[in-house]
Structure formats: structure tokens, C-alpha cells
Amino acid sequence: MDVEVKDELRPAGRSPAPSPHHTGHAGPRLVRNPYVFPRAARLAGWVAIVVVLAAAAWATRSVDGERPHLTGWVLSGIAFAVPGLPLTWWAGSRVDPVDRPVWRLWFAGYVIALLGAAGLLAVGAQDWTWARGIWLASVGVSILAFGAGNTLMMRSRAGRRATAPDILDLISVMLAVTAPVALVVGEAVVTSDDAWFVVSWSIITVALVHGVASAAVFTARIRPEDRVPAWLGVALACLGIVEAAGQVALGLTGFRAPSAPLLTLHALACGVGLAFVLHAPRHPSMGRDGLHPRTQVRRSGVVSVLVLVSAVVILAEAGWWRGTDWVLLCGTVSAGLLLILSSVRHLLVARETTRLYEEVAAAADERRQLLSDVLVHVDADQHRVAARLHQQAMSSYSTVASIVTALELSPQSGPAAALALVATRARADLAAQVDSLRDVLAAVRPPDGGGQRLVAPLRAYVDRLYQDGSRPELAVDVDPGVMPDWTTELMALRIAQAALDNVRRHAACTRIGITVALEGQDLVIEIGDDGVGFEPDQVAEGAGLATMRTLAGFLGGRVEVCSGPGEGTQVRAVLGREVDRGERPRLRVVPDR
């Protein structure tokens, strides 16, 4: 069971104190309440929604006729609006400041819709003609308020995407969904005996299509764990569309159809709206602003497909009712407008995509520069450590030379005393050198992984070689058992880099494979490509291959090249052979003669 802890009761930066009876077993998990209203208030709200919904359905079960329908519709809505309006204002005052303008617009839409409902009630009770104007005006203003709030909420989670394509998408969806239906029922709507009612609900239907599209886009742009309020918004908009379409159908029949199912659906939509308010999030949900620009490129073609299908349907309807002038004209205009909107939208999306990929390219340049700086830093550290080790070795050599010099210069009568003095100094000096070397070795001790340390530098080097150009596919396979010493690892890296330089200049390949493995006590590095290849016997050895042979020679190794025209090139370097001791210089003490 989750235990909710109110943020204002928890000190900032501190965790709740453990229970004095804590026994080491996992206790209740303390979680933050993500909503403005506490859990008890939300549960009470759901209970109230169910009770009011059941009461509204029971009270309107036998409603029939225009005035009873209007009265039942208004009263069932007011039953939810009385608690809903203060809760909406409270939620808008407690949400994050980023979302407060959205909630203020929604609150204004609710208030205006309530005023319009009061006017509609006057129409039903007193048949005041002027009240119809209040209703129609409230419909238009509330649609603008809700639409502005939905657009702000959707845009706040859009990340780096532009605003214009989103607006065009919503307009295209509204036109694509409503235009084919309007061509079928448009004449009946405007010529209805209750045209004021039918036209107003037709406008509400079109607006709710915008609401469904906005809610769906917003839901897709946020994290799954933040989608409970968003799904409630989608459900509210969908229920609203069904209700609005039912109201249009009821008006077209002259209010002769049963009203009870429609009034129950209206109460259900109001209940979902109140539940949406009860689940107002305390903090703004994470949108696309935290994602990489590449992931923000628009890839979905749902809107384009919908526009194309709708345009075909509209043109078919216009052709079918070509004898009706207004259908032919409106159908042609609607199809042309859809195609224009789609074309403009694709132009804007192309420009947006170009901008996003420019940001990706800039980020890639920064990453490449960072990798280059890291490689330079690593090389500098290796040279610095090598200089330190060389310094320690020279100090040890100086100590031994001091011993030899002391023995050569000591008097014949007292060599033992001189030797003892020099030995004491040498012991102290060598002990200090050993401690210093131990510290250096501890500092440069590599992490676990052995030869796997070669993977990142090689990939970074290939990235730096090809930059933004067309690069071949790279596969690096390092035997997990490879544990080269520092010198061998450095030589292997330099040989591979020299081979990659040759691949970049001459191979024109599509794939590069690098393999590092052990053969006995030898470390074997193979760099292969599927490029143009060459005939080794007919091509003079270049600087790159000479460099590789020189580097391998430091460890007594060898470099072999296997290639052929059109067969690619394989470079094989074997490192770690035992070097002939006779080839190395020896230090020896020359006795006094």
C-alpha cells in the first residue's frame, strides 16, 4: 500500500524519519502525491460523481420534448458545475506557474459555458428569443477559451517543434473529419425548424474534434506515467463529440427522439470533466523538451493519410451530388483547401526538420570535439606518466652510479666504511623511489576490462577521420581475455590508427573490421576492409606501413599485409615476441684496474 506524504509537511532536502519500531523489513513506501488534490479528496470526488450521475440518469429517465430536454440538460450540468467551478479555480491556483494560464483559460471557458447554459434554461422556460443570442455567443467565446487553453497546453510540451505545423495539423484534422459529414447533413442543419440549436451544436462538434486532436497530441508527447489526466481529457473530448452529435440528431428530429440516453451521456461527460479537474497535476509533466532533437522530427503520416482520404471522399460526394450547386462548390473548396493546407504543412515540416538536424549536427560536432580533446588528454597523460617513470629510472641509475663512483674513489685502506655509507644512502634513495613508483602505478592502474579499453579510442578515431562524411560500418571485436600491458596497448592503438589512416585515404570501403585477440603469448591486431585493395608486390611501401612496422619492431613484432585488387585489404600485426637479449644494451660495473 502506498502512503501519501504532502510536500508541505516534508522538510526540503530531508527524508522522513524511520519508524521507531523499524525492524529492517521493508515498510510502507513513501511517495509524493503528484496531484493538486489529496487522495481522500479524489476518492470523495469519484463517489460524488457516481452518485450525481445515477441521480441525473434517474431524474431524466422520462424526459421528452424540447423544453424538458433543455431543462434537464442544464440542471444536470449545473449539478456538476457547482462544485466544479471552485475546484477548477483552486486547481489553477495550485498547479505549476507554467500551466496556470492554461487553467485560467479553461476556467473562463467553464464560466462562459455556464452563462450560456443559464441562457438556454431561459429559452426552455420562458421562450425568450434574446436568450438564444446569449447561448450562441457563449458557445463561440467558450470555444475560443478552451481552444486557446488546449493549444497552450499542447505547445508547452512540444519541445523544439515549431508552432505553425501543429496549428495546420489541427485545422486539417477538423476539416478532414467534419467536411464530409457537413456535405451530407449541411442542408438539413441550416433548414431545420430548430436551426439555432442544431447549428450551435454543429459548431460545438467541430470544436470538440479540435479538442480530441489536441488531447491526443498532448498525451503522445508526455511520459506514460503522467498520462492519467491526459487520458481523462481524451475521454472527455470523445464523450463530448458523441453527445454533440446526438444533440444535432435530436434537433434534426424536432426533439421527437428519446432524450434520456442523451441526458445520461451529458451527465457522464460532466462527471469525467470533474474527474479531470480532480486529477490536476501538481507539477508539469515532462514533454519533448527533454528529448534529443533527432527524436523530435515528425515521422507520423497520420494527418497526411487522413487528409488524402478525406479529399477523395469529399470529391466523391461532390460528384455524386453535382446537381446541388452548394455541395459541388463547398466540396471543391474543401478538397482544395485540404490540399493547400497539406502542402504548406509539408513545407513547414521540412524547414523544421532541417533546423532540428542542424541542432543534431551541432551536437555531433561538440561531441566529436569532446572526443578529440579526451584523446589528446589521454595521450598527454600517458606521456606525463612515461616521463615520470623515466625520471624514476634515471634516479635509480644515478644511485647505482654513485655506488660505483664511491667504490672507485674510496681509499684502499677503508673501502668498507665508504661502502657502508654509500649503501645506506642508496637504500634510503631506492626506498623513496619504490614508494613513488608504487603511487604512480596505483594512479595509472587500468580499470577492469583489459583490451576493451581499445574499443572507445578506435571508434572515436574513426569518427574523427570521417567526421560528417559517408563513413563505413565499423565492427570492433576484442577478446575479453586480452589484458595487454601499457606499452603493448599503446603500440596496438598506434598501429591500428595508422592502418585506419590508410583505409581512409585509399580503401574506399563500406565496412571496416578490427579484431584484437591472443595467439599464445602474442597479441594479434587485424584491421580489414572491403575496399578496392591493391597488389602488394607492385606498390611501394608507404609511410603508413613503415610506421606500423617500426612500432611493431619496438616489441619485436611484425606486420603483414594481405590484399588484392577488388578484394579489400587485411593488415595483421603480431606483438609481444620475446626480443633477443643480445640486441639490448647492458649496463655492467667496470672494475678498477
Side-chain angles (χ1 to χ4, degrees):
M1 180 181 69
D2 293 343
V3 178
E4 294 183 351
V5 179
K6 295 180 68 176
D7 290 345
E8 54 269 21
L9 298 181
R10 180 182 299 177
R14 297 179 57 187
S15 300
S19 170
H21 304 291
H22 180 66
T23 60
H25 298 287
R29 183 168 57 91
L30 300 179
V31 297
R32 295 180 60 187
N33 177 24
Y35 306 113
V36 170
F37 298 99
R39 184 178 184 182
R42 298 198 305 274
L43 290 177
W46 276 105
V47 172
I49 289 171
V50 173
V51 171
V52 175
L53 177 60
W58 176 262
T60 59
R61 67 187 185 280
S62 59
V63 171
D64 189 19
E66 178 181 356
R67 292 187 179 182
H69 173 80
L70 295 177
T71 303
W73 185 86
V74 173
L75 292 179
S76 60
I78 290 177
F80 288 97
V82 169
L85 284 176
L87 290 177
T88 303
W89 181 265
W90 177 271
S93 302
R94 297 298 184 272
V95 297
D96 191 272
V98 174
D99 289 338
R100 286 181 187 173
V102 176
W103 281 86
R104 292 292 178 253
L105 286 169
W106 286 342
F107 177 79
Y110 284 134
V111 171
I112 296 169
L114 185 60
L115 292 176
L120 194 61
L121 182 61
V123 173
Q126 303 295 334
D127 197 19
W128 292 341
T129 304
W130 60 267
R132 297 181 179 179
I134 295 177
W135 164 250
L136 292 173
S138 69
V139 168
V141 178
S142 62
I143 285 175
L144 292 178
F146 283 119
N150 293 341
T151 303
L152 282 180
M153 179 63 75
M154 184 182 64
R155 284 301 311 151
S156 65
R157 309 303 190 271
R160 295 177 174 86
R161 289 185 174 183
T163 304
D166 288 334
I167 295 176
L168 291 179
D169 281 345
L170 295 177
I171 296 175
S172 299
V173 169
M174 287 193 300
L175 186 59
V177 172
T178 59
V181 179
L183 293 178
V184 176
V185 301
E187 186 174 359
V189 167
V190 297
T191 59
S192 171
D193 294 336
D194 299 297
W196 68 272
F197 181 84
V198 178
V199 170
S200 62
W201 278 106
S202 299
I203 296 173
I204 293 173
T205 304
V206 175
L208 286 170
V209 172
H210 175 279
V212 171
S214 300
V217 171
F218 175 76
T219 304
R221 288 180 176 178
I222 61 176
R223 301 179 303 179
E225 56 267 29
D226 297 332
R227 290 179 179 175
V228 172
W231 283 121
L232 287 172
V234 173
L236 175 60
C238 291
L239 288 172
I241 287 180
V242 177
E243 182 198 350
Q247 298 284 2
V248 172
L250 182 65
L252 291 176
T253 61
F255 293 92
R256 289 187 295 272
S259 297
L262 196 57
L263 293 177
T264 302
L265 182 62
H266 171 63
L268 178 60
C270 292
V272 174
L274 183 57
F276 174 80
V277 174
L278 291 172
H279 288 79
R282 182 187 300 271
H283 303 290
S285 55
M286 180 65 69
R288 292 186 172 271
D289 48 311
L291 301 179
H292 193 277
R294 183 179 60 253
T295 63
Q296 301 194 37
V297 175
R298 302 174 194 263
R299 296 179 174 86
S300 176
V302 175
V303 175
S304 299
V305 173
L306 180 62
V307 166
L308 291 176
V309 172
S310 178
V312 172
V313 173
I314 290 173
L315 292 177
E317 290 178 338
W320 182 264
W321 285 292
R322 58 182 177 273
T324 306
D325 294 339
W326 75 268
V327 173
L328 182 60
L329 176 62
C330 292
T332 304
V333 172
S334 299
L337 184 58
L338 279 175
L339 295 178
I340 291 174
L341 289 174
S342 179
S343 301
V344 175
R345 184 252 186 195
H346 281 293
L347 291 175
L348 294 176
V349 168
R351 186 170 64 179
E352 177 189 76
T353 303
T354 301
R355 176 177 56 80
L356 291 174
Y357 273 103
E358 286 176 354
E359 295 184 15
V360 173
D365 290 339
E366 293 178 3
R367 185 176 64 253
R368 187 177 298 111
Q369 184 61 42
L370 176 62
L371 290 174
S372 178
D373 294 342
V374 168
L375 290 177
V376 172
H377 180 70
V378 169
D379 285 343
D381 281 346
Q382 290 175 340
H383 284 293
R384 185 162 54 249
V385 173
R388 180 69 181 275
L389 294 175
H390 180 267
Q391 180 183 2
Q392 300 296 334
M394 292 301 298
S395 298
S396 300
Y397 174 76
S398 299
T399 300
V400 175
S402 299
I403 296 175
V404 174
T405 302
L407 291 175
E408 290 178 347
L409 299 179
S410 63
Q412 296 295 330
S413 58
L419 181 60
L421 177 61
V422 173
T424 301
R425 293 180 178 178
R427 186 181 299 110
D429 190 15
L430 290 175
Q433 301 298 333
V434 168
D435 291 339
S436 180
L437 284 173
R438 187 181 295 112
D439 293 338
V440 172
L441 291 176
V444 301
R445 180 182 179 182
D448 295 337
Q452 298 297 325
R453 297 192 306 272
L454 293 169
V455 176
L458 289 174
R459 290 190 178 278
Y461 193 75
V462 171
D463 183 80
R464 186 169 62 177
L465 280 177
Y466 287 90
Q467 296 187 3
D468 291 331
S470 177
R471 68 183 62 191
E473 178 186 354
L474 176 64
V476 182
D477 183 16
V478 179
D479 188 342
V482 173
M483 298 288 292
D485 57 62
W486 179 31
T487 305
T488 305
E489 178 184 327
L490 182 60
M491 293 302 173
L493 180 61
R494 293 292 183 263
I495 291 172
Q497 289 175 341
L500 291 171
D501 286 336
N502 282 346
V503 172
R504 175 69 178 87
R505 288 195 298 266
H506 308 297
C509 62
T510 60
R511 187 180 186 280
I512 301 175
I514 302 176
T515 304
V516 182
L518 286 175
E519 289 187 3
Q521 298 299 318
D522 295 338
L523 180 69
V524 178
I525 307 99
E526 295 183 351
I527 302 94
D529 63 74
D530 60 352
V532 296
F534 65 98
E535 186 63 53
D537 296 337
Q538 300 178 3
V539 178
E541 182 175 301
L545 184 56
T547 300
M548 287 186 274
R549 295 191 191 279
T550 301
L551 293 173
F554 287 141
L555 299 178
R558 66 183 186 277
V559 175
E560 303 169 352
V561 179
C562 180
S563 182
E567 300 178 358
T569 302
Q570 188 83 8
V571 176
R572 174 183 170 89
V574 182
L575 307 178
R577 275 194 319 183
E578 190 68 17
V579 180
D580 184 2
R581 297 291 181 181
E583 298 176 359
R584 295 182 178 178
R586 293 183 178 182
L587 293 178
R588 60 189 180 89
V589 178
V590 180
D592 186 19
R593 295 181 180 176

